[in-house]
């Protein structure tokens, strides 16, 4: 699959097959793609906690408040992405430029992770609705949780939906 095919195939999976486990080789490939993601000063200011089994069920409860993200209960894996400290050069750059490079880097690692999952034939959903305190306690984390990604095989009836995106004219401007 080339990148455009991955981009066309990838969608937020809202229905997982709870009976189908993710193979270790596929999870390893996904985590390796995340490891290779670019970040400011190559600092990788994040930590990934892979929750499986009972931990995945507990993590799912932490993203399902107020009736949200009910599908997470069927995902066999939840990857909790927490913020980590900057490396010194990125911290200096962030302060001087007033830019939050950690948030940018976390977005990039999430994109790499979900793209590789799609290439491996798996579904993902990036969740920002979460209970930070409960996830920190569950995962033994001292830094804020920024995203949780559900991961697993999509249920057979979770078909590819048409993409709703802005046109290129709306999205892109040119300046000569």
């Amino acid at each position: 699959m080339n990148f455009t095919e991955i981009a066309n195939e990838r969608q937020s999976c809202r229905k997982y097959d709870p009976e189908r486990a993710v193979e270790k080789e596929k999870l390893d490939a996904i985590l390796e793609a995340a490891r290779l993601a670019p970040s400011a000063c190559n600092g990788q200011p994040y930590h990934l906690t892979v929750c499986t089994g009972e931990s995945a069920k507990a993590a799912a409860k932490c993203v399902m408040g107020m009736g949200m993200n009910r599908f997470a209960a069927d995902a066999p894996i939840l990857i909790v992405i927490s913020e980590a400290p900057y490396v010194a050069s990125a911290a200096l750059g962030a302060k001087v430029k007033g830019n939050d490079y950690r948030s940018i880097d976390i977005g990039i690692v999430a994109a790499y992770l979900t793209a590789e999952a799609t290439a491996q034939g798996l579904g993902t959903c990036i969740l920002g609705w979460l209970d930070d305190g409960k996830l920190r306690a569950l995962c033994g984390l001292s830094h804020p949780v920024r995203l949780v990604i559900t991961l697993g095989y999509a249920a057979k009836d979770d078909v590819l939906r048409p993409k709703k995106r802005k046109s290129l004219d709306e999205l892109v401007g040119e300046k000569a």
Side-chain angles (χ1 to χ4, degrees), residues 24-37:
K24 182 181 181 336
E25 304 78 39
K26 289 186 176 191
L27 177 59
D28 289 347
I30 291 163
L31 296 173
E32 178 63 10
R35 188 185 73 81
L36 294 172

Side-chain angles (χ1 to χ4, degrees), residues 11 155-161:
Q11 68 181 0
K156 292 193 186 315
D157 60 344
D158 187 48
V159 297
L160 187 62
R161 300 177 298 274

Side-chain angles (χ1 to χ4, degrees), residues 76-156:
I77 298 174
L78 279 80
I79 300 174
V80 176
I81 304 178
S82 57
E83 194 173 272
Y86 281 121
V87 294
S89 54
L92 177 62
K95 187 171 183 162
V96 169
K97 290 301 188 180
N99 206 345
D100 180 8
Y101 296 120
R102 280 186 291 220
S103 292
I104 296 166
D105 293 342
I106 288 169
I108 295 168
V109 77
Y112 270 56
L113 192 154
T114 57
E116 182 59 30
T118 301
Q120 294 291 331
L122 295 164
T124 57
C125 190
I126 303 168
L127 308 175
W129 181 273
L130 53 86
D131 187 318
D132 174 63
K134 287 181 181 177
L135 283 165
R136 280 198 215 190
L138 173 69
C139 298
L141 301 169
S142 57
H143 296 288
V145 173
R146 296 300 183 205
L147 296 173
V148 174
I149 299 177
T150 56
L151 174 68
Y153 283 97
K156 292 193 186 315

Side-chain angles (χ1 to χ4, degrees), residues 14 60 62-74 125-130 150:
R14 299 285 203 281
C62 297
V63 299
M64 293 168 45
M66 298 178 66
M68 300 293 286
N69 304 319
R70 288 182 225 158
F71 58 88
D74 288 332
C125 190
I126 303 168
L127 308 175
W129 181 273
L130 53 86
T150 56

Side-chain angles (χ1 to χ4, degrees), residues 19-48:
E19 303 302 316
R20 194 163 175 202
V22 174
E23 298 87 347
K24 182 181 181 336
E25 304 78 39
K26 289 186 176 191
L27 177 59
D28 289 347
I30 291 163
L31 296 173
E32 178 63 10
R35 188 185 73 81
L36 294 172
S39 61
C41 303
N42 294 316
Q44 297 175 296
Y46 41 77
H47 179 78
L48 308 180

